[in-house]
Amino acid sequence: MERIGVSGAALIDIDGVLTVDWQPLPGTVAAMERLRAAGLPLALVTNTTSRTRARIAAKLAGAGFPIGEDDILTAPSLTAAYLREHYPGARCALLNSGDVREDLAGVTLVDVGEGARGDVDVVVVGGAGDAFSYAALNAAFRHLQRGARLIAMHRNLYWRTSEGFDLDTGAFLPGLERAARVEAEVTGKPAEAFYTTALAHLGAVASETLMVGDDIETDVLAAQRFGITGVLVRTGKYLPETHRSATGTPDHVLDSFADLPALLGQ
């Protein structure tokens, strides 16, 4: 395996890279321990919208990963920062499967179906799941028709579970955009703001940082467009056909996150 010299930092996706259904993939805990022992600054960057940063940290630590809450950056936490900066004081109708309100501090939230006529400024769309009923999607559509802005935490099409792939927000968001004739502002990966914030969190520069992910477009090629070294792993949502049809070529491809220390020469 070719070794690379990355002296800056590592950005690491969680779901499909370190875990599937929050169960560690083979060798990932040991690999994370090696990176920690080598002193490599790192952050776990995830579009997961079903758990707060604190719950994610507790789950990973319970599985043996040497990780704390400060090591984790989520789409909801970055969405909160975006809303506070660009839409201060806005009433935000939240459509999301999972309770992440703790990570949306400083944002005025209402459930998407509760907003009265004309009193919703922003529709915030998180991760798909049972909350994405017809009634909820239609309520979001009506808010958008009345002039609300549309913020999406991500556009992921699907994610891998122990039982196979499940549909995610990207399967529903284009319909809302087309029906309401609006374009969503995306705050999670692959948005530039997500990577900029992650680099600032670590005090790192793009040219000395790598991004490890299982989604070739959202994780790897998006990071490469911003000057970050992209590392694709063949776990999680990885599929050979999506690799072949991708819009670009990853800098590196590994069978698993467990192979990352060897790539870094550690």
Side-chain angles (χ1 to χ4, degrees):
M1 179 184 297
E2 178 190 1
R3 296 181 176 183
I4 60 174
V6 175
S7 58
L11 305 176
I12 304 163
D13 187 28
I14 299 175
D15 191 25
V17 175
L18 301 179
T19 65
V20 169
D21 273 354
W22 301 102
Q23 297 302 310
L25 289 166
T28 56
V29 172
M32 183 66 73
E33 290 173 340
R34 290 181 64 185
L35 296 182
R36 285 298 203 194
L40 181 71
L42 57 87
L44 306 189
V45 291
T46 176
N47 278 349
T48 296
T49 57
S50 61
R51 296 172 183 254
T52 63
R53 294 171 64 233
R55 289 183 63 202
I56 292 172
K59 191 70 173 179
L60 292 176
F65 289 100
I67 292 297
E69 184 176 348
D70 289 343
D71 297 317
I72 297 171
L73 296 175
T74 66
S77 62
L78 293 180
T79 298
Y82 185 88
L83 288 168
R84 290 193 299 266
E85 178 180 355
H86 296 279
Y87 299 98
R91 284 179 55 83
C92 301
L94 177 63
L95 175 57
N96 182 65
S97 291
D99 186 4
V100 292
R101 291 171 183 261
E102 180 182 320
D103 283 350
L104 293 168
V107 178
T108 301
L109 293 174
V110 297
D111 289 336
V112 71
E114 293 180 358
R117 183 178 183 89
D119 70 348
V120 168
D121 304 302
V122 180
V123 172
V124 181
V125 179
D130 291 342
F132 277 53
S133 64
Y134 175 82
L137 287 165
N138 198 50
F141 170 55
R142 288 181 175 177
H143 292 315
L144 296 173
Q145 284 184 301
R146 293 192 288 266
R149 304 297 293 270
L150 179 59
I151 305 294
M153 295 187 189
H154 61 75
R155 287 185 177 274
N156 293 1
L157 284 169
Y158 52 82
W159 77 94
R160 181 180 287 280
T161 73
S162 59
E163 298 179 354
F165 292 119
D166 282 356
L167 287 175
D168 208 343
T169 304
F172 303 92
L173 187 61
L176 276 178
E177 291 178 307
R178 184 174 178 182
R181 298 181 181 180
V182 299
E183 183 175 350
E185 301 168 50
V186 180
T187 53
K189 294 179 294 181
E192 180 178 4
F194 191 101
Y195 291 102
T196 300
T197 301
L199 291 172
H201 177 77
L202 292 174
V205 296
S207 61
E208 297 179 354
T209 302
L210 59 82
M211 171 71 210
V212 186
D214 64 326
D215 188 315
I216 189 170
E217 297 288 349
T218 299
D219 293 334
V220 179
L221 298 183
Q224 289 179 192
R225 285 194 291 272
F226 305 129
I228 299 170
T229 298
V231 180
L232 178 67
V233 293
R234 296 190 183 98
T235 54
K237 66 173 64 173
Y238 174 87
L239 291 171
E241 52 265 38
T242 58
H243 190 173
R244 288 192 296 268
S245 62
T247 58
T249 303
D251 292 317
H252 302 275
V253 181
L254 302 177
D255 286 335
S256 167
F257 179 79
D259 297 324
L260 184 63
L263 179 67
L264 297 176
Q266 296 176 358

